[in-house]
């Protein structure tokens, strides 16, 4: 395979995969040196440690999720990032909240900044959805699991964020109450959430 065809293949891979990682080239028998050459030509650009995208790709909150999804394939987008994906919070361009298994090594990314939540067992594996973002399949917790996690980690991210998110979810009629209770019990926050859920689920609420 000569240099032009290798360069073309790198661009094709970047377009297909959304976010290109050096290991993707190894699988194709392409040396990493060609990645630098394609960057020098302005065909692709580096957006973080070991993450490359097409040169015309805009840096957006969705791209941040895609980069994190490829860099941490065993992680799950959670908390404020998941809440924003579900349309109930402002999207974050430069940081991503991601859950990893309790004993997993901490991800090393310079973009986006990673906020880690460690979970274990069903609290980590349940409630996971997969969404295609910038051509990348990204694991994200469903809304109800996200709301339960916000209460679980309320002391770290702020209890008002959890309450405001719950209120917004009910106001938008996006919350399945049965699913919410399932994840509240799974995360052991049902007693904390119950007063708020009872108030929000009533015909009229104001708190």
């Amino acid at each position: 395979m000569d240099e032009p065809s290798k360069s073309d293949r790198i661009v094709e891979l970047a377009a297909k995969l959304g976010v290109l990682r050096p290991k993707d080239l190894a699988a194709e028998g392409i040396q990493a040196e060609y990645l630098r050459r394609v960057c020098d030509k302005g065909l692709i650009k580096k957006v973080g440690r070991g993450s490359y995208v097409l040169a015309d790709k805009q840096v957006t909150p969705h791209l941040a999720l895609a980069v994190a999804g490829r860099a941490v394939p065993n992680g799950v987008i959670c908390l404020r990032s998941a809440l924003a994906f579900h349309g109930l919070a402002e999207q974050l361009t430069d940081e991503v909240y991601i859950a990893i298994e309790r004993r997993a090594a901490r991800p090393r990314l310079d973009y986006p900044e990673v906020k880690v939540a460690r979970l274990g067992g069903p609290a980590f594996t349940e409630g996971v959805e997969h969404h295609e973002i910038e051509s990348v399949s990204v694991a994200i917790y469903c809304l109800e699991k996200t709301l339960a996690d916000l209460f679980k980690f309320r002391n770290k991210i702020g209890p008002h964020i959890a309450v405001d998110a719950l209120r917004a979810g009910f106001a938008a009629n996006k919350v399945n109450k049965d699913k919410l209770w399932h994840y509240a019990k799974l995360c052991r926050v049902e007693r904390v959430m119950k007063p708020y859920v009872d108030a929000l689920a009533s015909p009229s609420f104001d708190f």
Side-chain angles (χ1 to χ4, degrees):
M1 186 183 292
D2 58 20
E3 182 176 342
S5 62
K6 287 184 178 180
S7 297
D8 291 344
R9 184 60 180 144
I10 289 172
V11 173
E12 290 172 2
L13 282 171
K16 176 183 177 182
L17 299 175
V19 178
L20 184 67
R21 304 281 295 175
K23 66 179 181 180
D24 302 322
L25 302 185
E28 296 288 328
I30 303 175
Q31 295 82 3
E33 170 65 17
Y34 287 96
L35 192 59
R36 183 186 63 78
R37 296 181 188 181
V38 176
C39 282
D40 289 344
K41 292 177 181 178
L43 300 176
I44 64 174
K45 62 184 178 183
K46 186 176 182 179
V47 292
R49 186 196 302 269
S51 297
Y52 300 81
V53 298
L54 292 176
D56 60 356
K57 186 87 71 173
Q58 298 297 311
V59 176
T60 65
H62 274 187
L63 181 61
L65 294 180
V67 171
R70 284 235 62 200
V72 193
N74 295 322
V76 186
I77 304 301
C78 65
L79 298 171
R80 295 183 67 179
S81 295
L83 190 67
F85 177 81
H86 291 298
L88 294 180
E90 182 179 353
Q91 294 186 325
L92 307 172
T93 301
D94 298 322
E95 65 180 30
V96 170
Y97 286 77
I98 192 162
I100 59 175
E101 205 278 329
R102 190 167 285 127
R103 295 180 179 83
R106 185 181 181 86
R108 297 177 61 190
L109 278 76
D110 52 8
Y111 172 82
E113 179 184 355
V114 173
K115 305 286 189 179
V116 170
R118 292 187 179 275
L119 296 170
F124 176 64
T125 59
E126 287 198 27
V128 179
E129 301 175 342
H130 290 86
H131 297 272
E132 185 168 308
I133 303 173
E134 299 285 355
S135 301
V136 177
S137 178
V138 180
I140 303 177
Y141 285 123
C142 67
L143 177 58
E144 290 81 4
K145 174 63 161 55
T146 297
L147 292 172
D149 281 339
L150 287 167
F151 275 88
K152 182 181 182 70
F153 291 96
R154 64 192 180 281
N155 291 333
K156 290 186 177 181
I157 63 171
H160 64 285
I161 293 177
V163 174
D164 288 349
L166 192 65
R167 181 190 293 114
F170 273 94
N173 199 29
K174 290 186 173 183
V175 180
N176 180 305
K177 192 175 177 181
D178 289 337
K179 287 177 64 176
L180 182 64
W181 278 127
H182 171 74
Y183 293 117
K185 292 176 182 177
L186 185 69
C187 295
R188 300 178 180 178
V189 291
E190 67 269 28
R191 290 185 180 180
V192 177
M193 294 181 68
K194 190 176 188 306
Y196 299 107
V197 174
D198 287 347
L200 289 167
S202 65
S204 63
F205 62 85
D206 181 18
F207 69 87

